[in-house]
Amino acid sequence: MLTEEKEEVVTKVPENESFVKRLYRSDFNINFVGKRKIWFAFSAVLILICFASFLFRGFNWGIEFKGGSVFQAPTTVTNQTVGDFSNAVANSGVSELGSQVSTLSGNGVRVQTRSLSTEEVVQVREAIANQAGCEADDVAYTLIGPSWGQQITNQALGALGVFIVLVFGLIWIYFRDWRTSLGAIVSLIHDVILTMGVFSLFGFTITPSTLIGVLTILGYSLYDTVIVYDKVAENTKGILKQDRTYSEQTNLAVNQVLTRSINTTIIVVLPVVALLIAGLVVLNGEGPLADLGLSLFVGLVAGAYSSLFIAAPITCMLRERDPEIAKHTKKVLRDREAASNKAARNEEKPDKKQVKFSEPAASGPAGYALSEDTLENVERSEGASGRPQPARRPRSERKKH
């Protein structure tokens, strides 16, 4: 009986092949699902560090959230402008100002301080006017209360809650699986915590632009996660009739979209880096560009990581607990083990080969010869030693000689 065996062609990639060539060929075989405990542990450590920073360091809230006084004065901006006005405000006679000085498009200066009393406002305004070379009345003054920042925070949290609920429902409807939705939501929360953790750890100022950036990255993170899930759904369609497990097909899907995810992240991050550099270098780290660029940069990197290492493995872990999927996985592994054992037995079992002689001897010193009938029945007449037993000549033939 002839059997057709399907051979899987495996392309061996040279060990010294560069990452760029692998990226171009989309040739990766990373065990995302099998090593999920490592990724989960790594993310858990990062999240614990972030929560510790939230608890012990807190956040450096901008004036829009904690309230304060803002002064603006016309002046010619030079490289020494920020330092000169910082010294002038510090020498105004008002203690613990916590001032922040920034420039305004090359023709003005902006000074932020804590909330000041009427007498303190007069002192700081005069100090700024003297440094700017203008009248005190030319220095604009604005008082910002903390209630406005609280309203922004409440609205941002509300928008985040609505966004999470809508995302959970839409993904559930599209993929028809609540476990997929749960994986996506965990990935989003992971990205938000890491982004805010970076701001807390390094003391970056949180402004309304920061919150805008955080809400923006959620859309990108969700986009990347849905791409991964879509490929997983394609590979696992009819999984109960396949000879691969759900985990194997999920891992294959993540590797298949890895190149696309990396390329998309690089393309998106490049303009964000330009935005960040413009805010830090051109505007000396002040203004909305630096805050927006920093939050976008951190969030995009975290989102690309979570889509590959968090979202898909979490969903796969939950799906493996489904009774049908678990039963299918056991069947596939059992069949493979049986096939492997059968192949091993076939290799160990010796093949029965018929003994062949090139030229049977007609006679020998002892008068023995191998007849044709003996040659045909050598296998059956093998002795205990495994050697063929030759047949003697009949007595009548021996007497003739």
Side-chain angles (χ1 to χ4, degrees), residues 230-366:
D230 193 59
K231 192 62 179 178
V232 171
E234 179 182 340
N235 288 2
T236 58
K237 185 178 181 180
I239 186 65
L240 299 180
K241 299 180 180 179
Q242 299 182 20
D243 58 353
R244 288 189 174 186
T245 66
Y246 189 91
S247 297
E248 292 171 343
Q249 291 295 74
T250 300
N251 196 75
L252 176 63
V254 178
N255 279 277
Q256 288 173 336
V257 300
L258 179 59
T259 298
R260 177 176 180 177
S261 180
I262 293 175
N263 292 336
T264 303
T265 303
I266 293 175
I267 292 174
V268 175
V269 164
L270 286 177
V272 173
V273 171
L275 188 69
L276 180 59
I277 293 176
L280 294 176
V281 177
V282 179
L283 300 179
N284 298 321
E286 300 292 341
L289 286 184
D291 302 329
L292 180 62
L294 181 61
S295 60
L296 287 176
F297 178 79
V298 177
L300 289 175
V301 175
Y305 167 81
S306 65
S307 299
L308 301 172
F309 295 88
I310 302 298
I314 284 181
T315 301
C316 181
M317 180 182 66
L318 296 175
R319 286 283 289 165
E320 285 178 340
R321 298 180 180 180
D322 186 273
E324 293 184 353
I325 299 297
K327 182 179 179 181
H328 171 72
T329 300
K330 292 181 180 179
K331 179 180 179 299
V332 171
L333 297 180
R334 185 172 59 250
D335 293 344
R336 286 182 186 173
E337 184 179 0
S340 178
N341 294 336
K342 182 178 180 181
R345 288 194 300 269
N346 291 337
E347 290 179 358
E348 295 175 356
K349 185 177 181 181
D351 295 335
K352 291 183 178 180
K353 295 183 179 179
Q354 190 176 17
V355 179
K356 296 182 180 179
F357 297 89
S358 57
E359 293 182 4
S363 61

Side-chain angles (χ1 to χ4, degrees), residues 12-30:
K12 293 184 178 180
V13 182
E15 295 181 357
N16 59 348
E17 189 174 41
S18 64
F19 175 79
V20 177
K21 289 184 178 180
R22 286 176 176 267
L23 182 62
Y24 175 76
R25 296 172 51 193
S26 187
D27 189 3
F28 294 97
N29 188 23
I30 303 174

Side-chain angles (χ1 to χ4, degrees), residues 125-142:
R125 177 180 282 182
E126 290 180 353
I128 295 174
N130 293 333
Q131 182 62 42
C134 63
E135 297 294 333
D137 294 338
D138 296 332
V139 178
Y141 167 72
T142 304

Side-chain angles (χ1 to χ4, degrees), residues 116-157:
L116 304 177
S117 63
T118 304
E119 294 78 8
E120 292 175 335
V121 169
V122 173
Q123 290 179 293
V124 174
R125 177 180 282 182
E126 290 180 353
I128 295 174
N130 293 333
Q131 182 62 42
C134 63
E135 297 294 333
D137 294 338
D138 296 332
V139 178
Y141 167 72
T142 304
L143 177 63
I144 299 177
S147 60
W148 186 75
Q150 186 65 36
Q151 293 176 0
I152 294 179
T153 304
N154 294 337
Q155 291 177 358
L157 293 176

